Every structure is written in C-alpha cells, then in structure tokens.
Amino acid sequence: MTVTYESRGSRIRNVLGSQAFMVVLTLLFLSPVVWAVVSSFKPAIDIIRDPLGFDPTTFNLDNFTAMFGDVPLATGFLNTGIVLVLKGSMILFLAPLAGYAFAKYEFPLKNVLFGTVLVTLTLPIVVLIIPLLLEMKEFNWINTYQALVLPDSFNLAFAIFWMRQVISSVPDELLDAARVDGAGEFGIFWRIVLPVIRPGLAGLAVLTVMNIYNDFVWPVVVTTSDSMQTLQVMLSTLAQNIAGNTVGTDYATITGELLAASSIALIPLLVIFIVLQKHFINGILAGSVKG
C-alpha cells in the first residue's frame, strides 16, 4: 500500500512538474507578443522612454490612427488575401491528387519520382530566387498576381509528402469496393478518399494558410510597387523606416506605428488557429501516420 501511495504521489509530482514547465515555456513564448500588443496602445514616447512600463490610464489609439494614415494596410491585406485564396486553392487541390497517386498507384519510376520530390525539400529558397525572377521578367509578370501566386504554387514537396502519408492509411479494400460498384478513379478520390482524409487535409490547410500569410522572401523580390506589396512586405518596409525616419515624424512614432500594424496583422492568424485548433491537432496526428 505504501508503494502504491508513493508511486501515485510520484506521478502527481511528475504531472505537476510537467504542467509547471509548460506554463513557464508558454509565458516565455507569449511575452514578446503580449508586450507588442500592449505597447501598441501606449503613447509613442512612452514605448521608448519606458518599454516595460504599464499604465492603462495612458492607453489610446494614437498609434493606430497614425499608422492607418501612413501605411496602406488595407492594400496589404487585400493582396495577401488574393494570394492566399489563389495559391492555397491550388496547393490544396493538387497536393492530395499527387499524394493519392504516390500512395495508391503503381507506375514506373514511382519511388524515384517520390524521392526527387523529397529532395526538393532540401533546396533553399535563395537558390531558386534568381532563376524564378528571370522567368518572371521574361513573362513580364513583375508586380503582378501571377508572379506572387504561380511559382510557389507548384512548390508542393511538403504538401505531397504530407498527403501521401495520410492517404497511405486509407484501406485498399475500401477503394476496391468502390471500383466494384462502378466508381471511376476520380470519383473514388472525390467521394471516398477526401472524406476519410479530411483531418489531414484540414491540418495541411492550416499550415498552408500560415506559410502563405507569413511569406516574405518571394513577395519582397517580385514586387517593387506599393500597390502590389503583401502585408509582410509592408511591415518590413515600416520596420526599415525606423532607421530612416521616412514615415511619421520621429523614431518613437514609427515604433508605435510598427507595433500597431503588427498587432493588427496578428489577428487573422490568431482567429484561424483558434477556430481550427481541433482540426489542426487532428491533422498533425493524421499526418504522422507511417505509410
């Protein structure tokens, strides 16, 4: 009995210790975000003079008002939204089809092709920027939605790998039964496979949205006009202006505007993650199935 109580007490201490560690880790990760959001409501001069100060009586919306006057944030959200819808739709349509082919069909050089897809994961974006930029110039697509959407829409290596792993868990007997009933191959994919892999597809959708929303390197290279800049490019431009004082009136004002813009940019991702949190976790688990 003593051993039972001791083992139970040991388990409780381990659980409490793990929870305490996770709480501390969460606070460490969230503290910069919380500081940025809180500071965006502070007077601009107080952000510089007393960065860690907290006086709710001084909170106001001056930073947001100044930011909306200096930064075309609505244009950034619009461009990001268009790219997100177009690119996300292409990725979420093409990747499951390719993953289905690699998971459930046999064809010549299948393993070689899949290995080639995986190898592309090791290629850094910096290696591809110059060739892609030259192609966009030849097509006369600089500062267009085609350049923002199309090149990266076919960079499907991770999405194909994810979908292949998820679809591998679908029983072959289920597909064979559909074929016996006279279903076509695309009909099997659409009516049988997609409903089964919905958690994995939802997880991929969340990751795709986050990656496209936070994408910076390619948009900053392929856009040179303010009217085509995505949200992340605008935030970067505003951050660079802190040194040059080219926006607003002084260093404190620019810092306040940057924090206000960053706080607003955080809202869509936060809402998406809160709404789809359950699907995201289920998708992560589905994507971890060994094929």
Side-chain angles (χ1 to χ4, degrees):
M1 184 66 66
T2 302
V3 174
T4 303
Y5 285 141
E6 288 179 353
S7 60
R8 183 180 300 174
S10 177
R11 287 198 299 269
I12 293 175
R13 286 193 297 271
N14 290 335
V15 171
L16 293 177
S18 300
Q19 291 179 345
F21 174 75
M22 294 302 297
V23 168
V24 172
L25 197 61
T26 301
L27 292 176
L28 288 175
F29 278 112
L30 289 179
S31 56
V33 178
V34 173
W35 176 86
V37 173
V38 171
S39 296
S40 66
F41 293 96
K42 296 168 61 175
I45 190 62
D46 289 349
I47 300 174
I48 306 302
R49 183 174 55 194
D50 187 14
L52 299 181
F54 182 79
D55 185 5
T57 60
T58 64
F59 285 5
N60 56 64
L61 298 177
D62 291 347
N63 293 325
F64 292 89
T65 303
M67 182 269 299
F68 281 118
D70 291 330
V71 182
L73 203 65
T75 302
F77 271 112
L78 176 62
N79 291 335
T80 301
I82 293 174
V83 173
L84 185 61
V85 171
L86 296 178
K87 186 187 295 188
S89 299
M90 293 182 66
I91 292 175
L92 294 177
F93 176 74
L94 296 175
L97 286 173
Y100 178 54
F102 280 120
K104 295 301 180 181
Y105 288 94
E106 294 296 332
F107 49 88
L109 301 179
K110 169 184 172 180
N111 294 331
V112 173
L113 291 174
F114 187 65
T116 304
V117 170
L118 295 183
V119 167
T120 61
L121 285 172
T122 64
L123 294 177
I125 184 63
V126 178
V127 174
L128 304 175
I129 284 179
I130 300 301
L132 287 175
L133 186 59
L134 292 176
E135 288 183 12
M136 297 302 102
K137 184 178 179 181
E138 289 296 322
F139 288 134
N140 198 26
W141 282 359
I142 301 297
N143 285 320
T144 64
Y145 288 116
Q146 299 96 297
L148 286 171
V149 172
L150 291 179
D152 206 35
S153 296
F154 298 100
N155 185 16
L156 302 172
F158 173 77
I160 291 174
F161 170 75
W162 179 292
M163 285 289 94
R164 188 257 185 189
Q165 296 301 101
V166 173
I167 296 174
S168 293
S169 64
V170 178
D172 292 335
E173 293 78 10
L174 194 63
L175 309 183
D176 293 336
R179 292 188 181 98
V180 170
D181 290 338
E185 292 303 315
F186 187 78
I188 293 173
F189 171 77
W190 188 259
R191 297 192 183 99
I192 305 297
V193 176
L194 278 186
V196 174
I197 67 169
R198 188 163 47 191
L201 190 60
L204 178 62
V206 173
L207 291 177
T208 300
V209 168
M210 293 174 64
N211 289 335
I212 297 174
Y213 189 84
N214 291 323
D215 191 17
F216 169 74
V217 177
W218 178 244
V220 79
V221 170
V222 81
T223 58
T224 57
S225 66
D226 294 341
S227 61
M228 289 302 301
Q229 287 183 348
T230 60
L231 183 61
Q232 301 304 325
V233 177
M234 285 188 176
L235 293 178
S236 174
T237 302
L238 187 58
Q240 293 173 7
N241 289 333
I242 289 180
N245 287 341
T246 57
V247 174
T249 57
D250 54 30
Y251 178 85
T253 300
I254 302 172
T255 303
E257 291 182 18
L258 177 60
L259 292 175
S262 300
S263 299
I264 293 177
L266 178 68
I267 294 174
L269 281 184
L270 189 62
V271 171
I272 290 173
F273 185 77
I274 292 175
V275 172
L276 300 178
Q277 181 181 12
K278 179 179 178 181
H279 298 287
F280 178 71
I281 295 174
N282 291 338
I284 292 292
L285 295 177
S288 65
V289 175
K290 182 177 180 181

